[in-house]
Amino acid sequence: GVGRRQMPPLTIFSQNCRGLKTDGRIDELAHVLQERRAFLACVQETWRGRCGKDDGVYDNWTFLGIGPEQQCGRGSQGVGILLSPRATTALRRGGTEVHY
């Protein structure tokens, strides 16, 4: 309608990573997402070596991840969400709790 404020669209990616074993790889992905002006990215097959919950901040992006308690084979499991600084602010302002 007239006078209605238009919100810019949010860009959300989904990426099969085939491994984010190192913090440097997450930094690199965050950098690419920043260049693409992403709001957030859902990532699969993170292959993170840590068991269970895996959180951290990489290049000002918040990574919320989880993997199986016990890896089988090459460790082709694990999922996560990378939140842009803007998405992280929205998460905190909303008082949202993260449940794994």
Side-chain angles (χ1 to χ4, degrees):
V2 177
R4 189 172 178 179
R5 185 175 161 195
Q6 285 291 109
M7 296 297 292
L10 300 176
T11 305
I12 299 173
F13 289 91
S14 178
Q15 179 68 42
N16 183 330
C17 296
R18 296 184 63 203
L20 289 176
K21 291 182 182 179
T22 66
D23 292 347
R25 289 234 174 141
I26 296 178
D27 282 331
E28 183 180 347
L29 178 58
H31 178 74
V32 169
L33 292 169
Q34 184 70 38
E35 286 182 352
R36 307 262 329 252
R37 294 184 174 93
F39 183 70
L40 65 84
C42 301
V43 293
Q44 305 85 39
E45 290 196 36
T46 58
W47 302 1
R48 297 294 289 176
R50 300 176 193 131
C51 296
K53 184 174 82 164
D54 184 17
D55 297 346
V57 177
Y58 304 90
D59 198 22
N60 294 321
W61 283 64
T62 301
F63 178 74
L64 304 174
I66 191 161
E69 292 296 327
Q70 188 81 15
Q71 289 284 359
C72 298
R74 66 177 187 185
S76 62
Q77 298 176 4
V79 295
I81 298 175
L82 267 167
L83 301 169
S84 67
R86 186 172 150 212
T88 301
T89 299
L91 179 75
R92 289 190 181 130
R93 283 188 179 168
T96 304
E97 292 181 33
V98 178
H99 298 274
Y100 294 89

